[in-house]
Amino acid sequence: MDYNTRPYFYGTGRRKKSVTRVRLYAGSGSVTINGRDIDDYFGIETLKLIVRQPLELTGTTEKFDIECRVGGGGVTGQAGAIRHGISRALLQYNSDELRPLLKKAGFLTRDPRMKERKKYGLKAARRAPQFSKR
């Protein structure tokens, strides 16, 4: 399929270490992540629910086909990033009506929680080496 010829709405989503590029094409409601179907990509039903939340909230589930390229992090982080990306892409489609809905649900806020970096002299971010008296 040649994607350059079809018009689309674009959104970038991030959560933890995951980054995704989301494209919304006019279609029937299929979700494709990294070239695979959503059911094939996410095994857990909860993650599929998270991804579809912005569409169900705005009532655009059957309106768009979603193409995602996602990388980094784990499955939960990726699902959250896709949700963020879809929400931002929906704003390009219809900002005036959808923004208050998406903002109230908290889908436009980038989750700022990240893994804290490891400090020198420590075993992890805050974990000190075991104390030895002798």
Side-chain angles (χ1 to χ4, degrees), residues 38-86:
I38 187 169
D39 299 315
D40 187 32
Y41 194 82
F42 290 126
I44 308 163
E45 209 55 48
T46 318
L47 299 177
K48 296 175 202 172
L49 246 155
I50 288 170
V51 169
R52 291 191 175 112
Q53 272 179 327
L55 297 169
E56 284 168 10
L57 180 75
T58 55
T60 52
T61 315
E62 304 296 315
K63 235 177 190 175
F64 297 110
D65 285 341
I66 297 162
E67 291 276 337
C68 304
R69 281 267 168 240
V70 65
V75 284
T76 310
Q78 288 187 351
I82 292 169
R83 178 176 79 176
H84 188 222
I86 290 171

Side-chain angles (χ1 to χ4, degrees), residues 4-134:
N4 298 334
T5 56
R6 292 171 64 197
Y8 60 85
F9 300 103
Y10 177 81
T12 307
R14 292 183 187 88
R15 183 176 190 272
K16 290 177 135 184
K17 287 274 182 194
S18 303
V19 182
T20 185
R21 297 168 301 180
V22 178
R23 288 178 171 187
L24 265 56
Y25 295 96
S28 58
S30 71
V31 181
T32 313
I33 303 162
N34 290 355
R36 292 158 62 188
D37 187 57
I38 187 169
D39 299 315
D40 187 32
Y41 194 82
F42 290 126
I44 308 163
E45 209 55 48
T46 318
L47 299 177
K48 296 175 202 172
L49 246 155
I50 288 170
V51 169
R52 291 191 175 112
Q53 272 179 327
L55 297 169
E56 284 168 10
L57 180 75
T58 55
T60 52
T61 315
E62 304 296 315
K63 235 177 190 175
F64 297 110
D65 285 341
I66 297 162
E67 291 276 337
C68 304
R69 281 267 168 240
V70 65
V75 284
T76 310
Q78 288 187 351
I82 292 169
R83 178 176 79 176
H84 188 222
I86 290 171
S87 302
R88 286 172 121 186
L90 282 169
L91 287 188
Q92 279 194 351
Y93 161 66
N94 186 351
S95 180
D96 300 337
E97 288 173 34
L98 303 184
R99 190 175 183 83
L101 288 171
L102 293 167
K103 195 159 174 65
K104 191 172 190 297
F107 297 159
L108 299 176
T109 310
R110 190 247 195 254
D111 193 342
R113 296 174 296 176
M114 300 258 311
K115 186 175 180 183
E116 195 175 333
R117 81 170 191 86
K118 184 190 172 298
K119 302 347 178 263
Y120 63 88
L122 300 180
K123 289 186 175 291
R126 299 183 186 201
R127 169 82 173 100
Q130 190 172 9
F131 176 73
S132 164
K133 200 167 190 177
R134 272 164 204 84

